[in-house]
Amino acid sequence: MAEMQHYKKWLFGFLLILVGCSDPVKEQITQQIPITEQRITQLGNSLDQGQIRNANLIKQYASKLRTTKPELSALIDEFAKDATQQSPMFLALKERLNTVKTQPNMFANNQAIFDELLNIYQAADPVLYSDALSDPLNVLADMSDGVLPRVNALSKAQSLQANNAQDFGTGEQLIGNPNYGQWTTGSNGMSFWAWYGMYSMMGDLFGSRRVYYNDWGSRRNYSYYNDYGRTRYSSPSQLRKQTQLDNRTRKSFESRGQKYTSAYSKNRTGSSSLSGQSKTAQTSAKRFSSSNSSKSSYAKKTTASKNASFRNSSSTTSRSFRRGK
């Protein structure tokens, strides 16, 4: 009898050790991976089936521009990819998920991995994704010299005036968006925007001058990515680089006794008829300041992601909108 009691105590202690060693966040990661993977697949299918509203408008705008501005066809064709699964933004979501699955050591801890999975899941929501496409869509609108109206945004003139912003040329909505280019440090120590691949044609075709971060940071205009979508459509490493660059620029200004306004210190004016999801997207930004969120908050987020319904095409395309004039 004494031996049996001793065995029970040993077994109970062993079970306690097992429970203490288990990682609930790791279990949530295992559950969330296929959910996020399915969401991306569904988004891809929606793009293929013409169920993403702003993707459809990109196709329409691209088609009209090829007729009126054939000399811009190569650049127009590049932006037309944003309406498909070849969009830099869509490919980035797939790449980020693959990083979670194959390179978990790239993240600080399991909580950071879980955060990234939820971020990708929410970024692949068809309504949020359609809103995010308003940036490349409105670049096409600006390329038409005002013939094609902006969507989900005020006109360029209205937005520049409202924000006391500097005009950084055609394509300025995409400056700062790591899906289209990156900040590069020149020999003079100043960071400037360098477009990826075909997007560099914008500087040649529209005569845009080099954009330096210290100018852009304080005088940038509105864009969906920078004002609403940054925490959704950037990887953790991209966000860290943005923060490091912003901090480095601030220190440079302070060393000269100058005041610096961060590029992300406040939302710029310019959005029009965005979805409710976009308007509340910034609330997640605090998650990136620390990986020490409470376990209860993770449980709530997991439940929310499981219960979130994938919006069908009717909810995506029925939303009314105003056009910039």
Side-chain angles (χ1 to χ4, degrees):
M1 182 65 68
E3 290 181 354
M4 180 60 70
Q5 290 178 340
H6 177 73
Y7 173 76
K8 287 181 178 179
K9 289 181 180 179
W10 176 85
L11 181 60
F12 180 73
F14 179 73
L15 290 175
L16 284 178
I17 292 175
L18 285 179
V19 171
C21 291
S22 65
D23 186 346
V25 179
K26 191 171 184 178
E27 294 173 6
Q28 291 170 339
I29 290 170
T30 302
Q31 295 171 2
Q32 187 65 37
I33 286 177
I35 296 173
T36 300
E37 200 162 27
Q38 182 184 32
R39 171 57 71 90
I40 292 178
T41 299
Q42 289 174 318
L43 176 61
N45 292 337
S46 293
L47 285 167
D48 291 343
Q49 296 165 14
Q51 296 176 342
I52 305 299
R53 176 180 167 278
N54 281 344
N56 292 337
L57 288 174
I58 285 176
K59 294 177 183 177
Q60 295 173 25
Y61 278 30
S63 178
K64 292 178 181 178
L65 274 176
R66 289 190 191 98
T67 301
T68 59
K69 299 217 172 182
E71 70 277 12
L72 302 180
S73 291
L75 185 57
I76 293 168
D77 289 345
E78 198 67 20
F79 279 113
K81 293 179 181 178
D82 281 294
T84 72
Q85 291 195 40
Q86 294 306 307
S87 164
M89 191 163 60
F90 184 82
L91 293 175
L93 293 180
K94 294 178 67 175
E95 183 179 349
R96 287 165 59 189
L97 177 60
N98 186 60
T99 299
V100 169
K101 294 166 64 177
T102 62
Q103 302 179 64
N105 58 311
M106 295 287 289
F107 298 85
N109 48 47
N110 284 337
Q111 293 179 346
I113 294 174
F114 185 62
D115 263 351
E116 173 69 342
L117 282 170
L118 287 182
N119 229 22
I120 298 168
Y121 175 88
Q122 292 162 355
D125 176 275
V127 176
L128 271 177
Y129 192 85
S130 180
D131 283 348
L133 287 178
S134 64
D135 280 344
L137 172 59
N138 288 328
V139 173
L140 289 173
D142 292 348
M143 286 166 62
S144 76
D145 299 324
V147 174
L148 298 171
R150 284 188 172 192
V151 176
N152 293 137
L154 301 177
S155 71
K156 185 169 187 173
Q158 291 172 326
S159 188
L160 284 170
Q161 182 177 10
N163 295 303
N164 191 27
Q166 183 175 335
D167 186 351
F168 292 104
T170 300
E172 67 177 0
Q173 297 94 325
L174 304 178
I175 295 176
N177 188 327
N179 294 309
Y180 299 91
Q182 64 180 352
W183 293 106
T184 301
T185 302
S187 57
N188 59 358
M190 298 178 67
S191 296
F192 63 91
W193 183 250
W195 296 101
Y196 291 145
M198 294 290 288
Y199 301 112
S200 62
M201 292 176 63
M202 280 186 285
D204 300 328
L205 293 171
F206 304 109
S208 302
R209 63 179 179 79
R210 177 171 284 186
V211 176
Y212 286 95
Y213 187 82
N214 59 337
D215 295 326
W216 177 85
S218 58
R219 297 293 302 279
R220 72 171 179 85
N221 202 357
Y222 164 82
S223 74
Y224 178 85
Y225 171 81
N226 289 302
D227 292 303
Y228 289 96
R230 195 165 68 94
T231 59
R232 291 286 184 266
Y233 297 100
S234 308
S235 68
S237 63
Q238 289 168 340
L239 288 170
R240 283 195 296 272
K241 288 179 181 179
Q242 291 173 357
T243 300
Q244 290 168 358
L245 175 57
D246 205 59
N247 288 338
R248 188 165 68 246
T249 305
R250 176 184 289 104
K251 290 179 181 179
S252 176
F253 269 65
E254 291 175 348
S255 68
R256 300 192 300 268
Q258 298 175 342
K259 182 181 178 181
Y260 175 68
T261 301
S262 170
Y264 313 112
S265 61
K266 65 177 182 179
N267 276 18
R268 272 36 170 195
T269 300
S271 64
S272 173
S273 299
L274 292 178
S275 67
Q277 290 97 311
S278 288
K279 292 178 180 179
T280 58
Q282 307 96 310
T283 58
S284 67
K286 294 180 181 179
R287 295 210 315 269
F288 295 92
S289 62
S290 172
S291 61
N292 297 321
S293 300
S294 66
K295 293 182 179 180
S296 60
S297 67
Y298 281 105
K300 291 177 182 177
K301 291 172 186 174
T302 305
T303 302
S305 66
K306 288 181 178 179
N307 293 337
S309 60
F310 184 81
R311 295 177 178 268
N312 56 30
S313 60
S314 62
S315 65
T316 305
T317 58
S318 63
R319 187 176 303 278
S320 62
F321 66 98
R322 297 188 302 276
R323 293 179 170 182
K325 299 180 181 178

